Structures are given as structure tokens and as C-alpha cells.
Amino acid sequence: MRDIRRPRVRAPQLTGRGWINSSGSEPDLAGRIVLLDFWTFCCANCLHVLDELRPIEEEFADVLVVVGVHSPKFVHEADRDALVAACERYDVRHPVLDDPELTTWKAYSVRAWPTLSVIDPEGYVVAQMSGEGHAHGLRTLLAELVAQHEAKGTLRRGESPYTPPEPEATALRFPGKAIALPGGTYLVSDTAHHGVVELDADDADGKTVLRRFGSGRRGLIDGAAAEARFSEPQGLCLLGEHTVLVADTVNHALRTIDLITGQVATVAGTGRQWSQGSATSGPAREIDLSSPWDVVVADGRVVVAMAGIHQLWTYDPASETVAVLAGTTNEGLVDGELAEAWFSQPSGLAVDAAGRIWIADCESSALRRLELHGLDLAEGRVTTVVGQGLFDFGLRDGAADQALFQHPLGVTALPDGSIAISDTYNGAIRRYDPATDHVSTLITGLREPSGALLADGHLLVVESAAHRLTRVRLPEEALRVESAAYRTQRPATELAPGGLALSVVFEPPTGQKLDERYGPSTQLVVSASPPELLLAGAGRDTALTRTLTLNGAIESGVLHVSVKAASCDEPPQDAMSRGMMSQDTMSQGMMSQGADPEEFFPACHIHQQDWGIPVKLVPGAPARLPLILRGFDDGASQS
């Protein structure tokens, strides 16, 4: 068994406002392997990592303690009650440190959500990684840490310190979206109950449930209503009179419900999450999807808000195919033609009487508009109506170019041509009037509204954190609200104007090497907001180091850095000869492949992260910016 030799960096203390899922106190972590998951509950990529970690937590249950370090992006996320609710909503079953001041975030030099840090039983940080897709490498690392520290006598086995919250029985639990059915009832995605519910129109708050679709257990199973399984479903839309399409978000799938028979069927997606290099069009059941959050019918096809990869896709029920409609998978607020526009976790869709598609682009707190001609990629264009960027948000009415939202999740087309916005983290329903290009506030005091629909002249609001639908009268006049503007409190990185040495650290996991069989195994894309921030160095290349030139005439901005790296399992003999894999690990790899020891079929893994880094240009500041995809920054001083 090889000894793991990594920099001996003592893990900083875990400091925050308090603990959740842990009896209110810090859990005893002595002698355990600790995996810190820096997350924020608005972030789809963070939610993907929660799902990646679930089987790992089970597999290493007696030696590993996952600790969520919640470092909020939005003001609403810094509210402790909202965080407690989010831990239940997303089924977080490990202790969570509430870090609203980003104290622990800063101590661990974190630059992005999500980031993982691994601490060994002796209290040293042995690995750090950003983004998604690290499950395979984590398993290898954890197995080696267990073997090493069991041999040294420094590993302590035990039960999880997780303390579950007291369950609360409600008919709905964190509902996501709702639609009206032809018979006058309502259909609601009962997200945390992993199902879809039909409600009586006269009692839409959820007390009178007519039918349930889904067993209430997380899973991806087709069949009769009582046996089928969903996983945190969200968006709904009608496909004809008797069929409903469901965005089954965590299953990365589109499902249908036959309203007559109650049968549930999968019509798009494989159950696997889309990753870079996967197909982006083709037979719907053969293409991976990524966190579809909402669906709406437009021009005979379904537009899908693919929140997990910051795109819009289409699903064609007639041809049973899917395809990308708009977006690049880069996260940001960039307008333009469909193939060039950037989105930031689109989560709500609506089509108005003119056929325009309206988008709640939640991570940039934006309202976007997409105009099409028959879903023709060559003709469409994306325009930002309200929104300033990834880190600017608030509650402000007035001219659209100055108005602010906070993480809106839903949009609703109103009969007068205006658009109602479910301004989720402001707890409000806002209104955008295209005729005047102004934003106003209609309703406040709601608990995380995530969608709304018109019902007999009223607005029926999905009040997600209140576990109900709330019927409200549309006011004749807008409310007067006190304006508030915020920027994400994440500290800006101070950099010197002029030359900047950008480097992305990527160390393949044990037993893997960079995959260059079919060309370069890495890709680095750099841009900036505003674009003028970068005088040189923008664009795409394969090297993970690059010299940028920052414009000293620009005081601050955001550097957008996107990196991809492909690594494949090494042939066991090569890995053994270089001390990269133990005999036990080699044997386990053979068994997992089901291969003859004389043969080897390498599995390949894509590692990806997108950073949006707020920067402030200060003379004399560092002229070096290291970003860690996986590994350590050797150029930094360690203590």
C-alpha cells in the first residue's frame, strides 16, 4: 500500500454562526475523514454534488463525515430559517455549518461553488477540488485514506453525527410549479414528496388532494400512479387534453402522466446527468439531460429550461427527439443569437400571446426574452429585459434597465400583455410591462414563490416554502416598496492591472492520467464582464496556463474562466510501476470492469468547472491567479 504524500496543510477551524442537522453543536470529527462541501442552496451545480455524494456517504458511512459549509450567494440564503428549510427541501443528511459571513470559505481559500476539501483523520487537508464529477476520484482517495490511517491506528470508526429534523406532515412539501387542467382542477409538482398531485379547484391550498402520481419515494420508475417514482419534479405542461409532461429534475428526465389511466412514462433522458462531450441532439430516450426545471409548449414543440447546464432545449413529441435550442453551457448574462447567448440556470418559462418566450434566469436575477421564428436557430435572439449580472440583485422598481430581482424562479404571461415574475428570494410577485418598459411590485410577504398561474381572474401562487398554493387578487395599483440593491458579499479578488498569470491546477486522481488519445485533454476558456476588462488573453485554448492583460482603466468586473479536463484510468501495470495504484486497488478495478486480468478497458472521466470571479484592480496587488480544479496550488505559501 503506497503512502499518500501530499502537502501537510493543517485544516483551518470550522467557524460560522451555528450548526444544522447536528443537535445545534459542532460534531465530533476527531479521527474521522471529513469532506467539506462548500455550497449555496441556490446553485444547481451544488445540488448536483449533493446527489453525487449520497452513495459515497453510504459506502463510507462509518469512516467519513460530510460537512456542508453553507456559504450564501444571495441575501435570502443568509437567513437561517431559509437554510434550515433548504436542508430539508434537498434532503441533506449530514451536518451543515451555517457560514453567512463566509468565514470558513475564506479560511479555505475557496473561490467557487461548489468546492470540496478532504481532511484526513489527523486533521490535515489532503485534497481540494472544484465543480462536479469528482465522485470516482473521491472513492479512490477515500479508500486509500482508510487503508493508510487504519494501518497507522489514526482512523476512528463510528456512526454519523447527523441529527434529522423533526418531520412535519403537510399535504404538499416544497411544491415547485402548477398548471390548470381542462377539467377545472390543478396539477402541482409536489417536489419534496417526489410526486405530482391533483388538487380540487375549490381548495387549492393542498388540503383536498384528488390524486397522487408517484409513490412518494425517490427514484426513476415508470408504471401505475401508485408505483411510479420521481425525484424532485418541477415544471409541468399539457401535451393535449389528457397528457401532462413533467420536468423530473433530479432524474434528469422528462416524464409523461396519462390523466386517464394514471400511467407514468419516461419520454426523454436516460437518468444520467449530461456532461461535456455528451450528445446534444437525437432520439429523446438516448440523450442525457441535466436538471430540467421547467417546460412550456411553443410552436408545437416543448421548450425545456435545462437549468443544470445553463441552456434551453427542445423536445419534439411527434418525432420523439431533443435538441439544444439556445445557450453555450457557459454561465452568465450574455445576449445575442441563440447559439451565442449565455444563461444562468434558467428555471421558469412562459409564452405570451405574441409567441415570445419569457425566461426566469435565476442565478443572474434576470428576466430574459427569446424571440423565434418557428424555433429556427438562425433567426432567434435572446434579450435581457431586467438583470445586471451574476452578482447584482435586489428589490427595486422602475425602469427595466435599473430594476432588480433576487433569484426569480417563475414567469407568468398576463392577459394584458405584461409578465408576472415570481421573485422567489424577495418573497414577491413583480410585474414587467413591455408597453412602458417598467417593473412594479404586485404582492409581497410570500414565502419563496416559485411559480404562478391565472385562475378566475386571480393569481394562484405556488408558495413553495409555505407548502401551499395561495390565491391572491391582482391589485389594480402597484405597491410602493422600499428599494434595496445588493452585490454578492463574496469578496472581490484584488489583482494588479496589466499582466496576470492565470493557472488552473488539475492533478488527475490516483490511477488516472490525462487522456490525450484523441487530441488535447484540457480546454481553457476565458472572458470578462465587461469585455473591456481584458485587453489580451480572452478566448479558447488547450493549455491550463495563460497570460492575461487586465485593463487598468476598469476598476472592477468579473473574470469568467471555464475549464474542462479529461482523465482516463491507467493500465494497472503502468500505474503499479509508478507507485500510483496499490495491488488491492488494481484488483478492485479489474473486478469493477469485469475484465480478464490480461485485458484493461479504461473508464474516462470529465472534470469541469466554471468560475465567475469578481475582481478589483489595485496597483501593487498580486499578478497571479491560481484556480484549483483538483489538487493543490504549489505556488502558494503553505503554513
Side-chain angles (χ1 to χ4, degrees), residues 122-449:
E122 296 180 279
Y124 290 92
V125 179
V126 294
Q128 186 166 321
M129 51 204 79
S130 299
E132 306 174 41
H134 296 288
H136 182 274
L138 272 173
R139 278 192 172 90
T140 302
L141 173 61
L142 292 173
E144 294 196 340
L145 286 171
V146 169
Q148 177 184 339
H149 287 276
E150 202 150 49
K152 293 175 66 176
T154 51
L155 179 68
R156 179 175 64 88
R157 294 180 181 269
E159 296 183 353
S160 169
Y162 165 67
T163 304
E166 288 294 326
E168 181 182 353
T170 54
L172 301 174
R173 205 70 187 161
F174 299 105
K177 308 287 185 181
I179 59 172
L181 296 180
T185 58
Y186 300 110
L187 203 66
V188 184
S189 54
D190 192 8
T191 304
H193 283 155
H194 309 296
V196 177
V197 175
E198 184 178 5
L199 300 179
D200 190 311
D202 296 327
D203 190 14
D205 63 359
K207 295 179 181 177
T208 306
V209 174
L210 302 178
R211 285 193 289 178
R212 287 189 179 274
F213 303 92
S215 67
R217 298 180 63 187
R218 185 191 295 270
L220 179 56
I221 297 177
D222 291 342
E227 284 79 40
R229 294 188 186 182
F230 296 89
S231 189
E232 299 180 30
Q234 288 282 346
L236 307 165
C237 70
L238 276 168
L239 296 180
E241 188 175 356
H242 302 300
T243 303
V244 170
L245 186 69
V246 182
D248 195 5
T249 305
V250 176
N251 277 327
H252 312 294
L254 301 181
R255 320 282 295 281
T256 56
I257 298 174
D258 187 316
L259 295 174
I260 296 178
T261 66
Q263 288 289 121
V264 175
T266 302
V267 296
T270 63
R272 297 184 301 268
Q273 182 186 336
W274 187 94
S275 62
Q276 291 292 338
S278 299
T280 56
S281 64
R285 288 299 309 274
E286 299 175 14
I287 305 298
D288 298 341
L289 309 180
S290 184
S291 297
W293 210 280
D294 203 4
V295 284
V296 68
V297 176
D299 198 30
R301 282 180 280 185
V302 177
V303 177
V304 183
M306 207 68 74
I309 48 176
H310 317 297
Q311 288 184 315
L312 302 182
W313 285 39
T314 59
Y315 163 64
D316 187 346
S319 63
E320 298 182 346
T321 57
V322 293
V324 172
L325 172 63
T328 65
T329 75
N330 290 321
E331 183 179 14
L333 193 65
V334 178
D335 292 342
E337 296 180 358
L338 303 191
E340 299 173 355
W342 291 20
F343 294 95
S344 42
Q345 210 170 300
S347 301
L349 300 171
V351 177
D352 66 14
R356 297 173 296 189
I357 299 171
W358 296 85
I359 305 143
D361 208 16
C362 64
E363 280 295 276
S364 54
S365 297
L367 175 65
R368 318 284 294 278
R369 183 177 62 223
L370 189 153
E371 300 189 61
L372 295 169
H373 299 282
L375 298 185
D376 185 345
L377 284 172
E379 298 294 331
R381 187 170 183 83
V382 176
T383 303
T384 298
V385 177
V386 178
Q388 305 296 323
L390 283 169
F391 304 109
D392 295 278
F393 57 92
L395 176 62
R396 186 162 65 199
D397 289 339
D401 62 355
Q402 297 297 313
L404 294 173
F405 302 138
Q406 186 181 182
H407 196 78
L409 289 176
V411 283
T412 307
L414 300 179
D416 64 356
S418 64
I419 303 297
I421 299 96
S422 295
D423 193 0
T424 307
Y425 287 179
N426 279 324
I429 299 296
R430 315 285 293 283
R431 176 177 177 266
Y432 169 69
D433 185 354
T436 62
D437 199 33
H438 271 63
V439 172
S440 57
T441 298
L442 300 181
I443 304 157
T444 59
L446 301 171
R447 294 181 61 190
E448 295 190 11

Side-chain angles (χ1 to χ4, degrees), residues 71-84:
S71 309
K73 172 182 176 180
F74 291 100
V75 168
H76 176 71
E77 293 178 295
D79 180 89
R80 180 177 174 81
D81 291 339
L83 175 56
V84 170

Side-chain angles (χ1 to χ4, degrees), residues 531-542:
E532 295 78 19
L533 176 64
L534 275 178
L535 294 177
R540 185 185 309 265
D541 204 347
T542 58

